[in-house]
Amino acid sequence: MRDDEDRSLTRRTALAAASAGLVAGCSTYGSGATPTSAAQQQPAPAAGTELGAAADVPVGGGKVFADKQVVVTQPTAGTFAAFSAVCTHQGCTVDKVADGKIACPCHGSEFAIADGSVANGPAARPLEKKTITVTGGRITLA
């Protein structure tokens, strides 16, 4: 009987170790990106915070200001839009704007550059809109 107990304990130990490995594997994200937890998020930048040059935001594309947690897009020449750079799926910071979409590296969510709406899930909600002004070629949060 003692032999059965030892075998059972060994099996339980092996299953627990394997389960821990699977859980750890599921908590990683593509491209080395990780979600931005509430503790990691910087406070939202205040109105009047300058983001950068309008010339740095390409027509039909955009620029991610990760340090300010804002992404600015220019869907058509002279028309700018701004959104939170924090993905609505699990809080990762979006990392690029290409082909008319804002992309999140964690799970593949994509958002439309014109209005921040979901273009590809798993995100189910659009990016939060931000208000900006473009004056003298500089982009500022309003």
Side-chain angles (χ1 to χ4, degrees), residues 20-48:
L22 287 174
V23 170
C26 290
S27 66
T28 59
Y29 299 86
S31 306
T34 58
T36 306
S37 71
Q40 292 172 316
Q41 287 183 1
Q42 300 172 5

Side-chain angles (χ1 to χ4, degrees), residues 2-27:
R2 179 78 179 136
D3 192 31
D4 287 341
E5 288 175 18
D6 289 343
R7 216 174 318 175
S8 177
L9 182 57
T10 303
R11 243 180 284 146
R12 269 190 234 124
T13 304
L15 285 172
S19 295
L22 287 174
V23 170
C26 290
S27 66

